[in-house]
Amino acid sequence: DGSIEALQNILNDKGYNLTVNGIAGKKTLSACRNYTIENDDSGPLTKWIQSRLNSIGFDCGTADGIAGKKTMRAIAAFQKQKGLGQGYFGGRDWEMLIK
């Protein structure tokens, strides 16, 4: 599920106290910026990014929560399209993905 509510729930499970309202406001974005996704990373945030990228046309394959080659290629394609730096997912990538 690539919804903002799902993202907020994942972040709350990591110790944040976000209102789960589906609005990617300053607090949600600030919490996201504490995380990066690099090759072979795994977990619920990786799965969320995969779901979100899949839903907007960047093929990560199955959203399995593991940042393998296909996921990293999808992240790079997203970053290139948005004019972002390429490599790992983080920083301004979050803002562009949750808009």
Side-chain angles (χ1 to χ4, degrees):
D1 176 3
S3 71
I4 300 302
E5 291 94 339
L7 175 62
Q8 290 167 328
N9 281 318
I10 291 166
L11 292 167
N12 283 343
D13 288 346
K14 292 181 173 291
Y16 293 90
N17 188 22
L18 302 171
T19 301
V20 179
N21 58 7
I23 299 168
K26 288 180 182 178
K27 287 183 180 179
T28 298
L29 187 55
S30 177
C32 288
R33 286 193 175 133
N34 291 315
Y35 299 95
T36 60
I37 302 298
E38 299 181 42
N39 191 44
D40 292 330
D41 281 352
S42 63
L45 276 178
T46 302
K47 187 173 184 174
W48 184 87
I49 289 170
Q50 290 170 322
S51 294
R52 188 75 169 195
L53 286 171
N54 282 337
S55 74
I56 60 171
F58 296 93
D59 184 14
C60 293
T62 303
D64 60 3
I66 302 167
K69 289 179 182 175
K70 195 166 190 175
T71 297
M72 296 312 293
R73 280 195 300 268
I75 287 171
F78 168 79
Q79 291 169 325
K80 185 176 182 181
Q81 185 185 83
K82 300 294 183 186
L84 300 163
Q86 293 179 37
Y88 65 90
F89 185 95
R92 285 198 56 231
D93 301 342
W94 283 107
E95 183 179 349
M96 300 304 283
L97 187 60
I98 65 179
K99 278 187 174 179

